[in-house]
Amino acid sequence: MDNKFVITIGRQFGSCGKEIGQELAKRFGITFYDKELISLASKESGLCQEFFEKADEKNSGNLLQAFAAGFTFGPFQYNDFLSNDKLFQIQSDVIRKVAGEHSCVIVGRCADYILRDNKRCINVFVHAGIEERVKTVMNRQHISEQEARELIRKMDKTRPNYYNFYSDKEWGVASSYHLSVDSGLLGVHKTVDFIQKFVEEALKD
């Protein structure tokens, strides 16, 4: 029996979603993917990593969603138009590949939608109150409160636009995920405890 499983983490900027994902991966003894997916996508395609970094979680204006619906990516042609959609296509295939090879935690990048046919994929959304997020971003980025609020405002537009563009679900809406949790109420470690128990129960045979 195949016991591999995947936990996807959608997150508000400043909600500590990445830290929570990293801790979950440690507790389950599985692989963690966030920016690591960019490196993998670069290696798989032979394209410069900088292309993926610039397009990371940003949609373009072209609606090319065949890959998210099961498109199988072949060898990349360098004379193809290098759109964000093409880069997302490559990264989507990488996400399917790693999820098929081993258990893992994947942060962002529409992983929950890309892996929607995976019966052992648990989708979590992490959010927090604005004041908690401002404090987190100030401490993490070493910036002022005004700068933190402005950065959060920008990211609160970018991530939903990306997710809503490439999926048929709505970013941050509880019905789009198996579990939505406020990390500001419990803190990182207790939030990880809560998610861990949820995942263990959800994956019981």
Side-chain angles (χ1 to χ4, degrees):
M1 182 177 178
D2 187 356
N3 291 319
K4 293 191 296 292
F5 66 95
V6 183
I7 303 170
T8 70
I9 305 286
R11 75 286 186 220
Q12 283 186 321
F13 186 70
S15 67
C16 297
K18 178 178 179 177
E19 293 88 338
I20 288 167
Q22 288 174 320
E23 182 61 28
L24 278 170
K26 287 181 182 178
R27 293 198 189 181
F28 282 109
I30 60 180
T31 309
F32 174 81
Y33 291 106
D34 182 18
K35 297 293 185 181
E36 295 82 358
L37 289 170
I38 294 175
S39 296
L40 287 174
S42 175
K43 291 177 182 177
E44 286 288 319
S45 65
L47 289 171
C48 177
Q49 185 168 322
E50 185 180 3
F51 289 137
F52 293 94
E53 290 172 346
K54 288 183 177 180
D56 191 31
E57 293 195 299
K58 300 178 184 71
N59 65 280
S60 76
N62 298 318
L63 189 59
L64 300 175
Q65 296 186 354
F67 46 87
F71 180 91
T72 300
F73 182 69
F76 182 83
Q77 300 298 317
Y78 280 83
N79 58 355
D80 281 357
F81 176 65
L82 193 61
S83 66
N84 284 10
D85 298 297
K86 176 63 73 175
L87 298 176
F88 182 86
Q89 172 185 327
I90 298 168
Q91 190 167 256
S92 296
D93 280 343
V94 169
I95 287 172
R96 294 190 190 96
K97 181 178 180 181
V98 298
E101 291 177 343
H102 50 250
S103 296
C104 55
V105 174
I106 302 176
V107 172
R109 296 163 185 84
C110 288
D112 60 307
Y113 181 71
I114 293 165
L115 300 175
R116 62 192 180 282
D117 294 327
N118 186 326
K119 302 302 182 184
R120 291 179 62 80
C121 179
I122 303 299
N123 306 315
V124 179
F125 187 79
V126 180
H127 57 96
I130 185 62
E131 298 307 323
E132 289 291 332
R133 295 164 63 201
V134 168
K135 290 178 185 177
T136 296
V137 173
M138 287 175 64
N139 293 332
R140 188 168 62 195
Q141 306 277 0
H142 304 292
I143 57 179
S144 68
E145 178 179 343
Q146 182 178 349
E147 290 172 320
R149 289 185 185 276
E150 178 61 20
L151 186 54
I152 288 171
R153 186 189 67 80
K154 289 180 179 178
M155 294 302 291
D156 280 355
K157 289 183 178 180
T158 301
R159 285 181 179 171
N161 287 343
Y162 175 86
Y163 185 89
N164 297 344
F165 181 83
Y166 285 114
S167 80
D168 61 359
K169 301 193 294 183
E170 189 172 351
W171 184 88
V173 174
S175 59
S176 295
Y177 310 89
H178 296 119
L179 176 68
S180 182
V181 58
D182 186 337
S183 61
L185 290 177
L186 299 176
V188 171
H189 295 298
K190 288 186 178 180
T191 298
V192 173
D193 290 340
F194 183 74
I195 297 173
Q196 181 180 4
K197 291 177 182 178
F198 181 89
V199 171
E200 289 171 345
E201 286 296 318
L203 294 177
K204 277 185 177 180
D205 292 330

